[in-house]
Each structure stands twice: as C-alpha cells, then as structure tokens.
Amino acid sequence: MTVTRKERTVAAAFEQELVTLSFENIAPLYVLTPQKKASIKFKQIAASVQEIGLVEPIVVSRDPYNAGQYTLLDGHLRLEVLKDQGQTHARCLVSTDDEAFTYNKRISRLATIQEHKMILRALSLGVPEARLASALNVNIKTLKQKRQLLDGICEEAAELLKDKQVALTGFQILKKMKPIRQIEAAQLMVAMNKFTINYARSLLAATPENQLVSAATPKKIKGISREQLELMERESANLEREVRLVEDSYGADHLDLVLTRGYIAKLMRSEQITRYLSLHHDAFLPAFEKITENEAFTS
C-alpha cells in the first residue's frame, strides 16, 4: 500500500524584493509628537542614519483598496528622520500581513548585551571609536562603558539578561554584588519583568554586606534599617514565587487582551467606523484611540 503525504506550504511573511517608495504613498498609523521627536531614541536614530545610512528598512503593507498606496507598519521614527534630512524616497520591505499590532509584537528589539557585542564586533573590525560613538549618538566615555559592559558580570547573570532591556547603570549596580548575588538579582529582575535602575538599586540596598564586592557598600536609605532592607528582599522573593503561581492564567488573559487590541486597532483604521463613532459614540473614540497606542509602534 502506498501512502502519499500531503504537501504543505508556508506563506511568506514578506515579498521577496525591496521596493523604493515615495513618502507621499506611505500612510503612517499615527503622527509623531514633538516630545517623541525630542526623545533620546529619535536622536540616536537620526545620528545613525546620518552617519551610516538606513540599516533596517521601513516595513509597509499594500493598501488593498488603493493601488500604489501603502500602510506603514514599522519605522515611524526612521521615516520621520529621513523626512527631516530632506529625503523623499526610501527602500521598503513589503509585508504580506497588514496587521501592524501583530507585526510589531514579533519584533525583537536590540538588547543591552546584544548592543555590547555589536560594539565589540565593530571595534574588532577597525571602526574608529569616534565614528561609532557618533553613529550611536553617545560620547566616547559612554561608548567605553558600553564596551566594558560585562566586565565584572558573571556568565550566569549575563545569560539571564542577554535579551533584556537593562540600563547601563543597572549593570554597574550589579557589578557591586558578588557573582551568586548577581545571579539572584538577575533572576528576580526576570521573574518580576522589572529592569529599571530603581529596582536594581533596591536589590543592591537589600543585599547583605557579605554578598557585596570588597569595594562596594550598600546604598543607604534614610529612615530604613538593615533589618528592614533584608525584609524587603525576602518579600520580593515571596512575590516572585506568587508571580510564578499565576503565570498560567496570566498567559490566557494576556492573549485575550492582545487579540482584543489587535481587533480594535484594525477597526480604527477604517474611516467609516471612526466617522460613525465620532457621530454616535464620541465618548468611545478617545478610549479606542488610547488602546491602539502601543509602545511597540515607536520604532
């Protein structure tokens, strides 16, 4: 007996060839605010484009109702930078999926440790420090700190944080701890999904002196004793365990929210629907617009 296996094909996520498009034919999903254009991230992108050109292409999808028109899925800051620099066209990657929310949720942003490895690689290839600093919109001192990011960080802690957005100062705080405490702190950061400088400082403050490197002293907080700081550490560990207990239900709830937000975002791209809401349910329109505003749209 001969058994035939049915062939399955996987649809490509993008068209094979880049296309050069006029900015007049690209419709952004939102307008950048003056605050966003004044941000450090915008300035870094502007410096990088000025120094080495556009590295990551803008991502668009074809408008199914208007031939020759495109919707901007990813690259709002890059597009605005190119406009500010007098450009009128750009090479774009055309996505076969017009769902901007879904697309942006699948983007892996450059983590701090990944940036560190990129810098080491560029320097090893002979790129001058001054040019690299200019492309990253940082001074030479900051570039050297990024280059020495993992000096004093144990391999286990670095592995835990390799794909996380941890501030440069956060790693400097971890360096004040001994390796075993660095691992514990990194585990707490990952479990709590908190990588802020203030959280790193709170972990340092709650670190016993025998778990600090010889040259470091714990951060002193006025009005809080060492016993209270140690209690904070224990409560933080307890909270970590509680977070793990609710991970199952959190995943399902988060999926529901992702799907709901994606659906609302798709509705809000319809002029007919937004016009109807503004005429008959004007109280809902600002709420829906706020829901569709997502930090993943900011690159």
Side-chain angles (χ1 to χ4, degrees):
M1 181 175 66
T2 303
V3 178
T4 59
R5 182 174 298 173
K6 185 178 181 179
E7 295 288 340
R8 292 187 177 183
T9 59
V10 178
F14 302 97
E15 295 183 7
Q16 293 186 0
E17 301 293 334
L18 294 176
V19 296
T20 300
L21 300 176
S22 168
F23 296 157
E24 295 179 352
N25 301 121
I26 301 176
L29 293 175
Y30 61 91
V31 178
L32 290 184
T33 63
Q35 293 80 4
K36 184 63 66 176
K37 294 189 66 172
S39 67
I40 294 176
K41 184 176 182 179
F42 184 86
K43 293 178 181 178
Q44 288 177 333
I45 293 175
S48 176
V49 173
Q50 181 68 35
E51 186 68 26
I52 59 177
L54 188 64
V55 176
E56 184 180 357
I58 294 169
V59 181
V60 299
S61 67
R62 297 183 183 276
D63 189 327
Y65 305 106
N66 297 292
Q69 296 298 312
Y70 297 80
T71 300
L72 179 60
L73 299 183
D74 180 68
H76 286 74
L77 296 188
R78 279 167 274 155
L79 178 64
E80 198 67 22
V81 165
L82 292 172
K83 288 181 178 179
D84 289 349
Q85 294 181 357
Q87 302 293 327
T88 58
H89 295 73
R91 290 173 63 78
C92 302
L93 184 63
V94 181
S95 171
T96 57
D97 182 3
D98 66 349
E99 182 51 74
F101 181 80
T102 303
Y103 174 82
N104 279 275
K105 293 299 287 184
R106 283 167 170 72
I107 294 175
S108 296
R109 305 296 175 188
L110 185 65
T112 311
I113 291 180
Q114 293 169 345
E115 182 188 33
H116 157 76
K117 293 181 178 180
M118 179 193 72
I119 290 173
L120 292 182
R121 177 63 175 166
L123 293 173
S124 69
L125 293 175
V127 178
E129 284 189 347
R131 186 183 181 192
L132 190 56
S134 176
L136 296 174
N137 195 37
V138 298
N139 56 40
I140 295 294
K141 180 180 178 181
T142 302
L143 180 67
K144 291 180 177 178
Q145 290 175 340
K146 289 177 178 287
R147 183 183 64 192
Q148 300 167 352
L149 180 76
L150 297 182
D151 293 354
I153 300 293
C154 69
E155 293 183 5
E156 293 84 353
E159 179 67 19
L160 288 167
L161 301 174
K162 66 180 181 181
D163 57 349
K164 309 302 181 185
Q165 296 285 346
V166 184
L168 182 62
T169 304
F171 282 99
Q172 295 172 348
I173 293 171
L174 289 177
K175 291 178 183 180
K176 298 180 180 181
M177 308 174 189
K178 290 183 178 180
I180 187 64
R181 178 56 178 165
Q182 288 182 7
I183 297 172
E184 292 176 353
Q187 289 174 336
L188 285 169
M189 287 179 168
V190 172
M192 301 301 296
N193 195 29
K194 292 190 68 173
F195 307 98
T196 63
I197 296 174
N198 285 337
Y199 188 62
R201 285 172 176 163
S202 69
L203 293 174
L204 176 65
T207 300
E209 293 186 13
N210 60 1
Q211 294 187 30
L212 296 172
V213 297
S214 57
T217 56
K219 178 178 175 63
K220 302 297 182 181
I221 302 179
K222 186 177 180 180
I224 300 180
S225 65
R226 168 55 53 184
E227 291 76 16
Q228 290 173 318
L229 290 174
E230 292 176 354
L231 177 60
M232 289 169 54
E233 182 185 17
R234 291 194 297 270
E235 291 180 346
S236 180
N238 290 334
L239 184 58
E240 171 196 353
R241 288 190 289 270
E242 292 177 4
V243 168
R244 290 176 177 174
L245 290 175
V246 300
E247 278 184 344
D248 290 340
S249 62
Y250 171 82
D253 293 341
H254 186 263
L255 177 60
D256 290 339
L257 290 173
V258 168
L259 295 175
T260 302
R261 182 177 296 198
Y263 179 70
I264 292 176
K266 196 166 187 177
L267 289 178
M268 295 302 292
R269 290 201 296 272
S270 169
E271 293 184 3
Q272 292 90 339
I273 292 177
T274 55
R275 187 182 306 112
Y276 177 84
L277 289 174
S278 63
L279 291 175
H280 303 283
H281 302 283
D282 58 336
F284 291 163
L285 189 59
F288 285 166
E289 289 176 343
K290 189 173 183 180
I291 289 174
T292 60
E293 291 176 1
N294 185 282
E295 61 182 4
F297 289 168
T298 59
S299 67

